[in-house]
Every structure is written in C-alpha cells, then in structure tokens.
Amino acid sequence: MLIVTTNDAPGYRIVKTLGLARGITVRSRNLISDAIGGLQSMLGGRVGAYVKLAEASRAEALEHLIEQATGMGANAVIAMRYEANEIMEGVTEVLAYGTAVVVEEA
C-alpha cells in the first residue's frame, strides 16, 4: 500500500478515487507509564514512556487505515494525516485518515 501525505503520488497516476478511508484507535495511559513519565518530566527532556505510547497508537491507527483502504479496493492513500484528541483524562483517540485511491505507474 502506497501512502503519501501529498495530494498526488509522484510517479503514479490516479485512475480512481474511492473516498475517505480512516483508521482509529483509543488508548489510555497506565500507572507504570504515568509513574515513569512523571519522573522523566521532572528531569526534563524526552519523555520516553509517552513517546512509546504515542508511536504504538499511531501505528495501530495506520494499520486500521490500511485495512479499510484495502477493503475499499485501494492500492494507495493520498493526503494521509494523523489527528489526536483527548477523550478524557488519560484517554486519547488517534485517527489516521486520507483519500483511498487506485494508482498505476505513470
């Protein structure tokens, strides 16, 4: 699956636009990552416990996006974006979305 953040795919021609595809996940922090993250934030710098959680959330949302786009018959997603919203304290929704398309090499 070709995934690009641009509105076209250089080297490819869009032959069919299938529509919006999205993948979503909802993740919560846990006591251990909160404790480690709290300690790291007091020391300053990178908060590795939360970086790991954010990366896992984005990877899962992207995986769901690919599944939906594939199910629609796409072989590419253009204009792919991530969005994240806090649903409640410690619970975050991560959305990956873009336009599912069929491309062929130009």
Side-chain angles (χ1 to χ4, degrees), residues 67-83:
E67 287 172 7
Q68 187 175 53
T70 301
M72 295 168 70
N75 65 354
V77 175
I78 59 172
M80 187 273 180
R81 302 286 186 270
Y82 285 107
E83 227 174 90

Side-chain angles (χ1 to χ4, degrees), residues 5-6 11 15-16 23 38 49 53 59 62 78 81-82 86 93 97:
T5 58
T6 55
V15 294
K16 188 172 186 180
L53 179 62
L62 180 61
I78 59 172
R81 302 286 186 270
Y82 285 107
E86 190 171 49
E93 162 201 51
Y97 64 95

Side-chain angles (χ1 to χ4, degrees), residues 4-56:
V4 295
T5 58
T6 55
N7 292 329
D8 59 0
Y12 293 86
R13 184 170 68 86
I14 297 171
V15 294
K16 188 172 186 180
T17 300
L18 302 170
L20 176 68
R22 59 182 167 60
I24 189 170
T25 190
V26 177
R27 291 282 185 116
S28 65
R29 299 184 315 234
N30 63 45
L31 290 174
I32 295 170
S33 65
D34 274 351
I36 294 169
L39 288 172
Q40 288 176 331
S41 68
M42 285 189 273
L43 299 172
R46 186 173 189 263
V47 184
Y50 293 139
V51 170
K52 190 174 182 179
L53 179 62
E55 283 295 330

